[in-house]
Amino acid sequence: MAFYVQKYGGTSVGSTERIKNVAKKVAKFYAQGHQLVVVVSAMSGETNRLIALAHDIQENPDARELDVMVSTGEQVSIALLAMALMTLNVKAKSYTGSQVRILTDSTHTKARILSIDEARIRADLDAGFVVVVAGFQGVDEKGSITTLGRGGSDTTGVALAAALKADECQIYTDVDGIYTTDPRVVAEARRLNTITFEEMLEMASLGSKVLQLRSVEFAGKYKVKLRVLSSFEEGQGTLITFEEDENMEQAVISGIAFNRDEAKITVLGVPDHPGIAYQILGPVADANIDVDMIIQNVGHDGLTDFSFTVHRNEFKNTINILKEKIQPHIGARDVLGGDRIAKVSVVGVGMRSHAGIASKMFRVLAEEGINIQMIATSEIKISVVVDEKYMELAVRVLHKAFDLEQAL
Ligand code: ADP
Ligand code: ASP
Ligand code: MG
């Protein structure tokens, strides 16, 4: 007998038919004697629909009220799943995040979980119930409903698994595991049996939305055994491992991540003297805007160009700050920007022991005539910024060049 926390995503609960299927799956585990906490997302499309409603009323919806509303998507799914379980003679009970008391900070729309009260869930489990919990939501200490950011039900699942010390956290979704890259973009992408925690962390932070980044961070911090599997087919899925298997032949590159979430900003003709990076990025940081990649060109004639990327949602805001507060102050020539960029990254722990990955990546892109606008590296990843229109091509040619479609 084991104790599982299972999370089913939006597509998996996208219709009442699908909810009945999830209930059948859960009932099968229950019949085998396992204890189960089941986390569900809103039915697919529902969160987007609710956000659009808010925008019909308020141009910039009030974040607290937005959370009150979008959290209803998950509240519908938990009740439907609990009912579906009852029809299969499984004792089930549903709870919202605030009923469990998933306590978060007060950063509405992207709150962080601070603690989870496990007492009620444990009592229900001991009494033989399947406990169904709404993903993506919590409550702050003032009693206001909060949400955890898009894709946040993954984090609810992993956080519950950590708090309740589950044997495994199983993320059921519409693909049968973690692939070398998004299988919707590269048909030849291959499912991985395992991926190291470090690689998964990079993949998630570089844009692979199969797991919310925060959920991977949680799994790392609390050493949660985490597996991604299909809601629709049987299979082992992909296990996130904490140790590199020394005996296993390790691929140099494990996966390719990409995202279109960023925008690039360049400050032209900046005086090339100490403190300039701080003068430009200080006010950006003060406005709570995260900066990702940064490039400062080699100066000539005492002037240089300074480029960086921010999330697309912050693009206009950042340009305004630079034009109003910084450009006149430091005497820069101009501020330019573009949001039609994409970041493509190759990830693999094998890079630590192999040279030449970057040059191979740059050669492959050059052969396709794809211009690299920015580069960033870490020990286990290389990221490039390219024109958005070349993103899919770049992912495909790199996937092929690094032999990712071939099993080891
Ligand atoms: P859910 O609604 O179940 O949370 P998501 O849409 O959030 O599902 O995540 C699953 C999707 O993630 C897949 O449909 C797939 O298109 C995408 N995806 C992106 N990168 C990968 C990857 N490396 N492996 C598998 N799926 C990926
Ligand atoms: N329903 C939320 C979203 O669409 C949370 C989730 O699905 O994980 O982002
Ligand atoms: Mg998701």
Side-chain angles (χ1 to χ4, degrees), residues 172-212:
Y172 288 92
T173 183
D174 56 4
V175 280
D176 62 348
I178 294 162
Y179 278 67
T180 46
T181 193
D182 189 339
R184 290 182 210 288
V185 170
V186 180
E188 295 77 23
R190 182 170 49 84
R191 187 182 59 80
L192 301 163
N193 284 320
T194 60
I195 183 168
T196 69
F197 161 72
E198 272 183 292
E199 289 169 327
M200 193 61 238
L201 198 61
E202 285 283 10
M203 293 279 280
S205 84
L206 295 167
S208 293
K209 295 190 173 97
V210 59
L211 286 176
Q212 197 198 34

Side-chain angles (χ1 to χ4, degrees), residues 293-345:
M293 290 165 102
I294 302 171
I295 284 192
Q296 184 176 348
N297 291 337
V298 178
H300 44 85
D301 308 332
L303 294 176
T304 184
D305 299 337
F306 190 93
S307 301
F308 60 95
T309 63
V310 295
H311 196 279
R312 272 189 200 182
N313 296 343
E314 306 282 11
F315 180 51
K316 282 199 194 124
N317 194 6
T318 312
I319 293 266
N320 288 343
I321 292 174
L322 289 171
K323 288 210 155 158
E324 281 160 27
K325 294 200 189 150
I326 303 168
Q327 192 186 347
H329 185 60
I330 60 175
R333 194 169 74 242
D334 204 356
V335 177
L336 302 175
D339 62 356
R340 303 259 74 91
I341 58 159
K343 183 163 79 174
V344 176
S345 313

Side-chain angles (χ1 to χ4, degrees), residues 41-42 47 74 136 150-154:
S41 292
T47 308
E74 273 71 12
F136 177 56
R150 298 307 303 268
S153 299
D154 297 332

